[in-house]
Amino acid sequence: QVQLVESGGGLVQPGGSLRLSCVASGSIFSINAMGWYRQAPGKERELVAAITRSGNPDYVDSVKGRFTISRDNAKNTVYLQMNSLKPEDTAVYYCNARIMRPAEIGRWKDYWGQGTQVTVSS
């Protein structure tokens, strides 16, 4: 079994900051790309930021310059530092990781966390 557990969401005022964390645990042989998605009420889930195993990041245009994605491969953890938050950033944020299990060498599968709520409001 593989689990992704997010933490760090909450309520913050516009202009504030939050840091999300996501830890992958369980039967893991290797982790490839990791990323953060978000889904606001009535909207489709969208990719916010992703990072390769070697640390190359990519961002959706709406968060460039405000959000920073990073990872610690030794801890199987990915982070999302969110600064200058806006009300339109309000959403449930989901962690995603492409993982290879020891029982399935050569096969990559996408795993998801349960989501953490981020609300930006005064």
Side-chain angles (χ1 to χ4, degrees), residues 30-84:
S30 182
I31 302 177
N32 199 332
M34 304 183 82
W36 290 94
Y37 289 70
R38 66 186 178 188
Q39 187 166 19
K43 295 188 177 181
E44 294 187 354
R45 189 175 296 190
E46 67 168 349
L47 175 63
V48 176
I51 187 167
T52 65
R53 181 170 180 80
S54 59
N56 292 319
D58 195 16
Y59 303 93
V60 68
D61 286 346
S62 61
V63 307
K64 286 181 179 177
R66 300 189 298 122
F67 291 10
T68 302
I69 189 171
S70 60
R71 64 189 287 173
D72 184 334
N73 291 334
K75 296 181 179 179
N76 290 343
T77 301
V78 63
Y79 306 96
L80 187 67
Q81 178 66 43
M82 305 185 293
N83 299 329
S84 301

Side-chain angles (χ1 to χ4, degrees), residues 6-122:
E6 300 110 332
S7 61
L11 173 65
V12 64
Q13 293 186 342
S17 298
L18 283 175
R19 189 192 194 208
L20 305 183
S21 300
C22 172
V23 181
S25 63
S27 181
I28 297 172
F29 179 78
S30 182
I31 302 177
N32 199 332
M34 304 183 82
W36 290 94
Y37 289 70
R38 66 186 178 188
Q39 187 166 19
K43 295 188 177 181
E44 294 187 354
R45 189 175 296 190
E46 67 168 349
L47 175 63
V48 176
I51 187 167
T52 65
R53 181 170 180 80
S54 59
N56 292 319
D58 195 16
Y59 303 93
V60 68
D61 286 346
S62 61
V63 307
K64 286 181 179 177
R66 300 189 298 122
F67 291 10
T68 302
I69 189 171
S70 60
R71 64 189 287 173
D72 184 334
N73 291 334
K75 296 181 179 179
N76 290 343
T77 301
V78 63
Y79 306 96
L80 187 67
Q81 178 66 43
M82 305 185 293
N83 299 329
S84 301
L85 282 160
K86 304 175 180 180
E88 50 263 45
D89 294 317
T90 295
V92 178
Y93 283 70
Y94 297 91
C95 173
N96 169 271
R98 183 152 293 180
I99 293 173
M100 183 184 298
R101 298 173 57 224
E104 297 180 296
I105 297 298
R107 181 182 180 188
W108 295 100
K109 289 180 62 176
D110 282 333
Y111 292 86
W112 294 88
Q114 80 286 353
T116 185
Q117 177 70 47
V118 171
T119 302
V120 185
S121 174
S122 55

